[in-house]
Amino acid sequence: MKETRKIEFGFEIFRIVVALAIAYGIALLCIMLISEDPFQAVYMFAVGPFTSVRRFGQLFGKFIPYLLTGAGMCFVYASNRFNLIGEGVYLMSGCLVTYAAVNMGDMGLPHLVFVLLLILVGALTGAVFGSVPAVLREKMGINETVVSIMMNYALLYLATYLVKTKMYDNSITYMASKQIPEDAKLTALISKTQLHGGIFIGLIAVGITALIFYRTALGYDIRICGANPKFAKASGINMTATLILAQVMGAVLAGIGGAVDILGIYDRYMWTALTNMGFDGLIVAVLSKKNPIFVPLGAFLLAYMRTGASILNYTSDIPIEFVDIMQAIIILLIAAEHFMGRYKEKLIFKASRKKNEGVA
Amino acid sequence: MLDTVAKFLFAVIRVSTPLIFGAVAACVTRKAGLLNLAIESMMLASALTGVLVSGATQSLMLGMLAGFCAAIAITLIISYSSFVLKCDLYLVSIAMNTALVGGTVFVMYLCTKQKANTAGAIASLYVGNLDIPLIKDIPFLGQIISGHNVLTYLSFVMVALVWYLLYKTKIGLRIRSVGENPQAAESVGISPTKIYFLSFGMSGFIAALGGMYMSMGYLTWFARDMIAGRGMISMSAMNIASGEPIQATLAAMVFGAADALSNYMQLGSFPSELISMFPYICTIVILVLMAVARTLKATVERNKV
Amino acid sequence: MAEVLRMQDIVKIYSNGFMANKDVNLVVNEGEIHALVGENGAGKTTLMKILFGMEDFQGGRVLLDGADANISSPLDAIAKGIGMVHQHFMQVPSLTVAENVTLGIEPGRGMAFDKKEAIAITQEISDKYQLKVNANEKIADLGVGLRQKVEILKALVRKCRILILDEPTAVLTPQETQELFVQLKALKKGGIAIIFISHKLEEVMELCDRVTVLRAGRTVGTDVIENLNPAKISRMMVGRDVILEIEKELAKPTDLVLEIDALQYKNAENVMMVDGVSFGIRRGEIVGIAGVEGNGQNQVAELISGMLQISSGDIRICGKSVRGKNVREIRKMGMAYISEDRMVYGCAANLPIRENIMADRIHSKEYRKFGFLIDTKKINQDIDKLIEDFEVSCDDRTQPVRMLSGGNIQKVIVAREFSSGAHLILANQPTRGIDVGTTEMIRKTLVKKSREEGVAVLLVSSDLNEVLEVSDRLLVMKDGKIVAHFKDASTVSEELLGEYMLGVKTMTPEEMGELV
């Protein structure tokens, strides 16, 4: 018995490593193909994020929102719902937080209070917009994937509209909001880098998520609903409430993610296309196998890949976009239940035969 | 005034074309019981491939053939990973969409050293417009329905073809039976997995036409992220029509009208973003209304008994 | 009459080691209706699955027309002239009869589907055997009786010579049953061999030419109908194999815990599954419901637990009605439920033992800490104690349930349900497919619960040994109604019970007395 469990656990890790290795290998191959100086390019991609403090900070600039959206998607993914509202919420939260920051700038609030208030705005944005697909799904049975994707686009246009009509800065030539007051920004932990105070918020959020997952009744409920809804019903779990709550929590964390990101590394709100952050959160959740404890690991991996790619992008001419292909491969291979499944069965079979021989 | 109206209606048909292709493509998989969220990626793949290959070979035929192959290759990846490797279909589809947004830019750069579009770099071919004799001379009507791209006319033919395929052919019967009751189909020797592969493949073929219309008709070059949510709008047009190709086409044209309107509005002071939101909000509202109708019907039926 | 099918010394062992068929023999002749009868789990379904190519087998031979037939798949079986009408119809509701019938063998040139031809084919066969089906109608608009005929049509259009009907009358009204019999007799005249699986002995007597009885995976015998009567068949079918005696003191029932009053339940197809059931259970007693599966016992349990909604009538637990309440609220009223299908309703296979046991009580105040956290230490202690008490063999409490054996999974489930502090326990097929050791433990615990803690127990089981050994009082259900009530289950013989279950005998209300 114990043997099987060990094999399964080891195998899962092995599978993730293989998936990452395949994706990484393909990425390196792409770089080799395209670059005039392949060794320099590969070096930049693989080691680049660690070559200077600024670059390492850049990695954290991505790591922080991934922590939040990743933890958020854990809620959604663990309850077995495919709700992508995090994407739209992230963007909308960035927009509304900027709006609030610009308008409350001269109220003279203490720094900490101001920041926390703005993050609350982000969380509320998440709760309000996130509850729409969740409620429609659990109360009326409408496909949450379709609704959330539709809302993402609608929110993108709504945010653009708001920027144009309410927050537009006439003094600049491109489409962006007025400047976010210094007082509202999350302090950089190392100056002139993107490693900002939001990292504490991110880590606390991951901690709270893990706490909710494994140390509260709600977490038990969410995991049971996600694992077997019929059993959840038969054992008397309030499924509607649990699943709505799980999806709204996911959106709230995405909303905080948007707020932290905009207050951490931007001067103005200037997102004119979907940020893909919600989807990146899903990748983090897939990488961490729905377990919030592994979210920092997954977030770090993804941030590392993304940073390597963007360093490559500005040190050479290679477009950053090949990382998107890499991501897809990773998701595909990790989420595919049957990827290397036969190999696993063989291992377990072999182990049990060995054990039986031992008995005989 | 009449002239402006005619121009506007002409534009509606023009911008609706990719949506119509996408919507009927989504209908094929929907009738097999699957939601196709990856129309976007299929369109992107074919849009780029069509441009690249037609530019390289200077053969429209080969270009389009390559476009079809690219989209079908995407469907094969999706089908294999979700029906054989048992990956979540939605997850794969969404992953495909993001992969292709980046992937097409990457391949474009690989071939042209450009990151924004292929306009100057590749002399790609395109599908021409067609003036319909006689009709083009009818005032007003001729202005609206004549002079469109050949692919636009093909999109309407495609609607009829898909309808015929679904409702009048053996394979259509099998697709619908798998969509409704896979066990029943399996019990008479129809493999649902095969039907899933097939319906996704056909869906990819049709979506490819939509993609190639974008880069070889509507525009004559490939630009990064040029599908820009059209695949998703198509999918929702299909969704509110419950997979019926003709209704889905009508829905796609309504969404196309909103798109055309927002293009016109950009010229004026009215915020075009609010009109751009229309298809998305409209879809959600219709889905809610449909759900309400469903519940009401169920209640009525229960009370009858 | 020529022999068309011979299944000889069939042995089937499932991968978990369960032997479902032991040297089973079945011979069917051309143009006869051959009844295959036996209790649930006697091996009928397995035998038919082997014949229809859905299962392979370890020993014996299948001969068609005297020659070895290697039936590799259902498709192969169809090609060799075997048709099967499943209990659950394999149909596509939005399609027409003709489309359903010709699905997979569609007529027409090239790609096109020739609807007219399909209708013609369907109508021709329908008229030939007087099935009276309109080929142009949609399946969704048809009643159950007609839908069944469509299934028969499907087999006939594929030119079947052997037609298997798996409990065809279970879903039919008496009139529809009579109609079906007329048509089956017409098919028989046409030379088709029919294998008729049924529990309803009166129907077997009326319709069939010969009967083969299976019991516990073996053939008990085959005989022509003239030599048989219902009582005789019933005795052949019912018999005890493993005797597992449970010692128990005499029950001392006190207050009423469960009261069921004129309970009715109609399923989605509008079939009355539970039809006017009334009974009660008191503290400290075990009431068993015996019956052939599909006669409404399962629905009674699910109605009490809140998994199904009551159509009419009432259920009260400790005087309070459960109408309109959901499972959570009913569990709070003191109900615990061991569900029939343990992998679907009894556990979450991918979650640890701990989560599976905590599922129904995680919100309880005793596990609360600081208001919102749960007391992990107490949970772990309690889970470990339950694992020890119920002898669940596992690594530890964090092991996913799916890695346990069937018996151990059931132990996890009963550990949860028996420790929830309920005063009403519903045990629905609690020991089905489980090893003898666990079975004995579960039965003993049920008795202990009622005697020592005064719990009221409702035991629904198709295992006669179980209902007879464990129950104090015993009810028998047939066709959604209670047809017998024994005040002392220990005095009932299996033969007698079998006769009530199979409808050979029925008690009058006076004979049953008060059902509380």
Side-chain angles (χ1 to χ4, degrees):
Chain A
M1 238 3 141
K2 211 150 201 163
E3 195 69 9
T4 311
R5 220 164 134 200
K6 253 193 232 154
I7 292 174
E8 283 206 2
F9 182 73
F11 190 82
E12 269 315 302
I13 291 178
F14 177 61
R15 228 169 58 125
I16 292 176
V17 170
V18 168
L20 288 171
I22 291 177
Y24 213 81
I26 291 178
L28 293 184
L29 198 77
C30 284
I31 297 172
M32 298 282 224
L33 268 178
I34 202 169
S35 175
E36 281 156 21
D37 185 359
F39 291 103
Q40 176 64 17
V42 167
Y43 175 79
M44 274 302 156
F45 178 60
V47 191
F50 307 108
T51 47
S52 78
V53 178
R54 204 175 56 82
R55 284 175 179 169
F56 198 53
Q58 199 185 340
L59 190 155
F60 277 100
K62 294 194 162 60
F63 174 68
I64 294 164
Y66 287 163
L67 283 179
L68 286 153
T69 52
M73 280 317 275
C74 273
F75 272 113
V76 180
Y77 198 40
S79 59
N80 211 4
R81 291 284 182 259
F82 206 84
N83 184 338
L84 296 169
I85 192 67
E87 189 73 57
V89 157
Y90 190 87
L91 180 120
M92 200 63 208
S93 157
C95 174
L96 293 182
V97 164
T98 310
Y99 183 69
V102 170
N103 283 311
M104 288 158 58
D106 40 11
M107 283 167 71
L109 290 168
H111 178 59
L112 192 66
V113 176
F114 195 12
V115 167
L116 287 180
L117 209 61
L118 290 173
I119 283 168
L120 186 69
V121 169
L124 281 177
T125 311
V128 169
F129 292 104
S131 60
V132 176
V135 170
L136 290 185
R137 165 66 201 233
E138 307 311 332
K139 294 269 186 199
M140 308 183 82
I142 302 171
N143 186 324
E144 78 283 5
T145 313
V146 174
V147 173
S148 62
I149 290 175
M150 293 300 112
M151 278 188 69
N152 287 344
Y153 284 102
L155 288 175
L156 168 66
Y157 287 113
L158 186 61
T160 314
Y161 170 73
L162 288 178
V163 172
K164 270 192 188 169
T165 54
K166 308 267 186 240
M167 309 152 63
Y168 189 56
D169 188 346
N170 291 320
S171 63
I172 51 170
T173 51
Y174 56 96
M175 234 279 294
S177 73
K178 295 195 181 78
Q179 256 186 327
I180 300 169
E182 268 320 300
D183 236 15
K185 285 190 187 164
L186 288 159
T187 338
L189 295 183
I190 305 170
S191 60
K192 303 235 167 78
T193 68
Q194 293 187 350
L195 174 55
H196 55 78
I199 191 161
F200 300 117
I201 298 171
L203 289 174
I204 290 169
V206 169
I208 290 177
T209 305
L211 200 68
I212 292 177
F213 260 57
Y214 299 107
R215 292 283 187 274
T216 67
L218 176 66
Y220 272 62
D221 286 354
I222 290 174
R223 286 181 296 134
I224 292 168
C225 286
N228 183 354
K230 286 179 176 154
F231 168 58
K233 185 186 173 196
S235 48
I237 289 170
N238 187 345
M239 285 177 66
T240 315
T242 305
L243 291 170
I244 288 180
L245 212 53
Q247 293 173 68
V248 171
M249 295 269 235
V252 165
L253 285 172
I256 298 178
V260 164
D261 198 21
I262 208 97
L263 299 178
I265 54 183
Y266 289 87
D267 290 331
R268 313 165 179 273
Y269 174 84
M270 49 169 113
W271 295 329
T272 50
L274 288 174
T275 54
N276 246 342
M277 275 295 183
F279 183 62
D280 286 345
L282 181 60
I283 300 177
V284 172
V286 169
L287 274 172
S288 51
K289 289 258 148 196
K290 311 178 199 182
N291 186 341
I293 294 165
F294 297 129
V295 161
L297 204 67
F300 190 85
L301 265 173
L302 191 64
Y304 160 69
M305 272 173 13
R306 289 247 166 219
T307 312
S310 83
I311 290 170
L312 193 60
N313 193 42
Y314 61 69
T315 52
S316 69
D317 251 356
I318 299 171
I320 192 168
E321 280 77 9
F322 71 90
V323 183
D324 291 341
I325 309 176
M326 235 174 118
Q327 271 183 14
I329 296 169
I330 295 174
I331 289 199
L332 253 168
L333 296 183
I334 294 182
E337 275 169 40
H338 287 200
F339 171 55
M340 305 207 304
R342 216 171 277 167
Y343 183 55
K344 177 168 94 177
E345 265 161 36
K346 233 187 231 166
L347 275 180
I348 292 176
F349 183 68
K350 225 159 113 188
S352 78
R353 204 170 50 185
K354 221 185 204 166
K355 200 174 146 198
N356 287 342
E357 268 167 19
V359 172
Chain B
M1 180 61 201
L2 207 60
D3 200 43
T4 323
V5 172
K7 269 191 186 140
F8 176 71
L9 291 177
F10 183 87
V12 168
I13 294 178
R14 201 168 105 89
V15 297
S16 295
T17 303
L19 304 182
I20 294 173
F21 277 125
V24 290
C27 285
V28 180
T29 60
R30 166 62 185 267
K31 283 291 168 191
L34 303 169
L35 186 62
N36 187 349
L37 290 177
I39 302 272
E40 193 91 6
S41 65
M42 298 170 192
M43 285 189 170
L44 270 171
S46 59
L48 176 65
T49 319
V51 164
L52 291 180
V53 175
S54 76
T57 60
Q58 289 300 311
S59 155
L60 188 61
M61 190 81 140
L62 285 178
M64 294 193 72
L65 206 64
F68 289 130
C69 290
I72 290 170
I74 301 282
T75 70
L76 284 178
I77 297 176
I78 292 175
S79 305
Y80 186 77
S81 26
S82 97
F83 310 132
V84 179
L85 293 181
K86 304 287 172 203
C87 209
D88 187 287
L89 177 63
Y90 291 179
L91 188 65
V92 181
S93 305
I94 301 285
M96 257 338 188
N97 288 345
T98 6
L100 262 291
V101 170
T104 47
V105 175
F106 182 72
V107 172
M108 175 164 66
Y109 179 79
L110 207 64
C111 299
T112 65
K113 298 277 168 198
Q114 298 291 322
K115 287 185 191 174
N117 60 56
T118 63
I122 296 182
S124 59
L125 305 181
Y126 56 90
V127 182
N129 293 345
L130 188 71
D131 282 327
I132 309 175
L134 296 179
I135 289 181
K136 76 173 194 292
D137 300 324
I138 305 174
F140 191 63
L141 196 66
Q143 265 181 296
I144 299 169
I145 59 173
S146 178
H148 282 286
N149 191 285
V150 173
L151 290 177
T152 299
Y153 297 114
L154 188 61
S155 75
F156 289 98
V157 175
M158 193 50 87
V159 177
L161 279 178
V162 167
W163 181 85
Y164 182 82
L165 174 91
L166 288 175
Y167 292 105
K168 296 288 161 192
T169 65
K170 296 175 186 174
I171 197 74
L173 188 69
R174 291 181 177 198
I175 288 177
R176 286 183 294 140
S177 68
V178 166
E180 235 183 287
N181 188 349
Q183 282 92 16
E186 205 163 10
S187 76
V188 292
I190 298 166
S191 150
T193 312
K194 266 189 205 159
I195 294 289
Y196 294 153
F197 267 82
L198 189 74
S199 63
F200 255 90
M202 290 196 283
S203 187
F205 177 84
I206 302 165
L209 284 167
M212 287 187 281
Y213 171 80
M214 288 306 292
S215 66
M216 302 164 76
Y218 187 79
L219 300 177
T220 53
W221 61 82
F222 179 84
R224 66 180 298 154
D225 198 15
M226 78 183 308
I227 304 302
R230 285 185 176 81
M232 287 303 174
I233 296 188
S234 314
M235 183 274 294
S236 46
M238 176 285 293
N239 218 344
I240 58 183
S242 304
E244 299 301 327
I246 294 170
Q247 286 92 313
T249 304
L250 292 177
M253 290 185 75
V254 172
F255 291 168
D259 194 10
L261 198 62
S262 81
N263 286 344
Y264 269 70
M265 291 298 172
Q266 254 159 10
L267 306 173
S269 58
F270 190 82
S272 64
E273 282 78 19
L274 294 187
I275 297 170
S276 298
M277 281 169 71
F278 168 77
Y280 306 108
I281 303 289
C282 175
T283 302
I284 297 174
V285 170
I286 291 180
L287 287 178
V288 171
L289 290 178
M290 278 161 69
V292 171
R294 229 175 12 240
T295 345
L296 283 180
K297 204 176 146 201
T299 324
V300 168
E301 232 146 73
R302 207 173 320 129
N303 290 344
K304 226 185 332 190
V305 176
Chain C
M1 262 196 291
E3 167 189 317
V4 283
L5 169 72
R6 175 178 286 269
M7 297 182 82
Q8 203 175 322
D9 301 329
I10 300 289
V11 176
K12 166 74 192 176
I13 305 166
Y14 281 100
S15 57
N16 62 6
F18 177 67
M19 199 186 236
N21 284 164
K22 299 162 200 161
D23 302 330
V24 172
N25 287 294
L26 174 68
V27 177
V28 181
N29 294 332
E30 189 184 276
E32 75 163 343
I33 302 181
H34 194 116
L36 185 62
V37 297
E39 270 192 275
N40 291 113
K44 300 171 307 230
T45 312
T46 306
L47 190 67
M48 288 302 107
K49 278 186 175 168
I50 289 170
L51 177 57
F52 203 55
M54 292 156 83
E55 297 273 3
D56 58 354
F57 53 104
Q58 280 72 35
R61 297 202 294 166
V62 178
L63 301 134
L64 289 173
D65 299 319
D68 258 311
N70 288 314
I71 301 166
S72 56
S73 70
L75 263 196
D76 193 29
I78 293 169
K80 291 188 165 114
I82 301 169
M84 182 151 173
V85 177
H86 300 267
Q87 258 184 358
H88 301 280
F89 302 145
M90 298 289 189
Q91 292 164 350
V92 186
S94 79
L95 300 186
T96 65
V97 170
E99 285 169 332
N100 266 287
V101 167
T102 56
L103 189 63
I105 49 165
E106 305 89 347
R109 266 199 202 159
M111 290 269 287
F113 172 64
D114 190 341
K115 210 167 180 173
K116 274 189 195 140
E117 180 68 18
I119 291 170
I121 295 170
T122 311
Q123 206 65 61
E124 187 202 319
I125 303 283
S126 168
D127 293 345
K128 181 175 164 194
Y129 293 102
Q130 290 151 28
L131 288 174
K132 295 179 198 153
V133 177
N134 180 357
N136 231 339
E137 260 185 295
K138 257 193 194 172
I139 293 289
D141 300 335
L142 300 182
V144 182
L146 279 171
R147 289 185 66 172
Q148 188 170 58
K149 276 168 209 156
V150 174
E151 284 296 284
I152 297 175
L153 255 181
K154 265 165 82 176
L156 292 175
V157 165
R158 287 167 173 77
K159 308 222 166 22
C160 84
R161 297 181 307 131
I162 302 170
L163 182 64
I164 308 165
L165 295 156
D166 190 2
E167 296 192 39
T169 59
V171 292
L172 301 181
T173 62
Q175 292 84 347
E176 286 173 326
T177 304
Q178 282 313 313
E179 209 183 317
L180 174 72
F181 284 1
V182 171
Q183 282 149 358
L184 291 181
K185 282 175 185 160
L187 290 180
K188 169 179 131 175
K189 270 205 192 105
I192 291 172
I194 295 170
I195 302 175
F196 184 82
I197 301 176
S198 180
H199 292 296
K200 300 184 181 170
L201 300 188
E202 67 273 33
E203 292 176 356
V204 170
M205 293 304 296
E206 184 189 338
L207 179 71
C208 301
D209 303 306
R210 289 199 301 160
V211 180
T212 294
V213 181
L214 297 186
R215 186 168 80 204
R218 290 178 203 278
T219 326
V220 179
T222 302
D223 210 337
V224 292
I225 204 75
E226 288 77 18
N227 296 339
L228 295 167
N229 60 45
K232 228 171 170 177
I233 302 174
S234 158
R235 273 197 294 277
M236 286 165 86
M237 281 168 67
V238 182
R240 245 188 244 222
D241 289 303
V242 191
I243 303 226
L244 200 62
E245 281 182 35
I246 305 287
E247 283 182 28
K248 59 177 198 266
E249 314 157 21
L250 212 60
K252 298 183 194 76
T254 54
D255 318 333
L256 261 178
V257 176
L258 177 75
E259 296 163 81
I260 296 183
D261 196 10
L263 185 66
Q264 286 193 324
Y265 171 72
K266 268 186 195 169
N267 69 4
E269 276 91 46
N270 233 350
V271 179
M272 190 69 89
M273 297 298 292
V274 177
D275 190 4
V277 166
S278 305
F279 67 94
I281 305 181
R282 292 173 183 280
R283 279 176 66 87
E285 70 169 345
I286 303 175
V287 174
I289 301 184
V292 172
E293 260 175 70
N295 279 290
Q297 317 90 299
N298 182 37
Q299 281 75 10
V300 169
E302 298 214 320
L303 287 164
I304 301 171
S305 71
M307 291 297 282
L308 291 177
Q309 293 301 313
I310 300 169
S311 299
S312 77
D314 201 5
I315 297 172
R316 286 181 298 274
I317 297 176
C318 299
K320 282 184 213 139
S321 171
V322 306
R323 276 200 86 136
K325 293 204 165 66
N326 59 29
V327 183
R328 182 165 36 105
E329 290 157 337
I330 299 172
R331 276 185 180 270
K332 267 197 190 140
M333 293 162 77
M335 184 269 309
Y337 179 45
I338 299 168
S339 138
E340 175 192 30
D341 193 335
R342 66 175 158 270
M343 294 319 282
V344 176
Y345 296 100
C347 68
N350 279 327
L351 292 183
I353 295 170
R354 181 182 55 205
E355 272 77 348
N356 271 285
I357 295 183
M358 292 306 295
D360 68 330
R361 65 198 61 169
I362 191 71
H363 289 278
S364 141
K365 280 206 182 75
E366 63 176 306
Y367 295 112
R368 204 78 63 74
K369 209 170 68 175
F370 310 131
F372 64 100
L373 292 186
I374 49 174
D375 187 345
T376 323
K377 210 166 133 198
K378 180 162 168 48
I379 288 177
N380 288 346
Q381 274 171 2
D382 287 7
I383 299 289
D384 285 348
K385 177 146 194 317
L386 286 174
I387 287 175
E388 203 187 305
D389 287 353
F390 286 87
E391 293 161 2
V392 182
S393 75
C394 58
D395 294 349
D396 57 33
R397 57 182 176 258
T398 60
Q399 187 170 25
V401 163
R402 84 187 128 84
M403 291 186 185
L404 306 179
S405 70
N408 277 303
I409 293 176
Q410 191 72 351
K411 281 183 189 170
V412 170
I413 293 168
V414 298
R416 176 181 68 230
E417 302 301 338
F418 286 167
S419 62
S420 70
H423 33 256
L424 170 66
I425 293 178
L426 310 179
N428 192 356
Q429 314 285 5
T431 63
R432 177 188 279 169
I434 278 177
D435 59 286
V436 182
T438 310
T439 301
E440 189 177 3
M441 185 276 279
I442 291 174
R443 289 180 189 171
K444 278 186 174 158
T445 317
L446 279 173
V447 172
K448 204 176 102 194
K449 279 276 176 192
S450 81
R451 297 299 183 270
E452 290 175 13
E453 297 170 32
V455 171
V457 176
L458 176 67
L459 172 68
V460 175
S461 179
S462 45
D463 184 333
L464 296 191
N465 190 34
E466 181 164 280
V467 280
L468 288 173
E469 280 298 322
V470 179
S471 316
D472 299 317
R473 286 192 294 130
L474 186 57
L475 302 167
V476 181
M477 276 187 78
K478 186 167 186 298
D479 296 331
K481 295 187 175 75
I482 293 177
V483 294
H485 174 222
F486 302 99
K487 290 231 176 322
D488 185 355
S490 62
T491 61
V492 183
S493 74
E494 275 155 50
E495 288 75 18
L496 186 64
L497 186 56
E499 288 182 345
Y500 282 107
M501 281 167 57
L502 295 161
V504 180
K505 284 184 176 171
T506 306
M507 280 190 189
T508 61
E510 292 73 38
E511 283 177 289
M512 284 195 261
E514 267 226 87
L515 301 180
V516 286

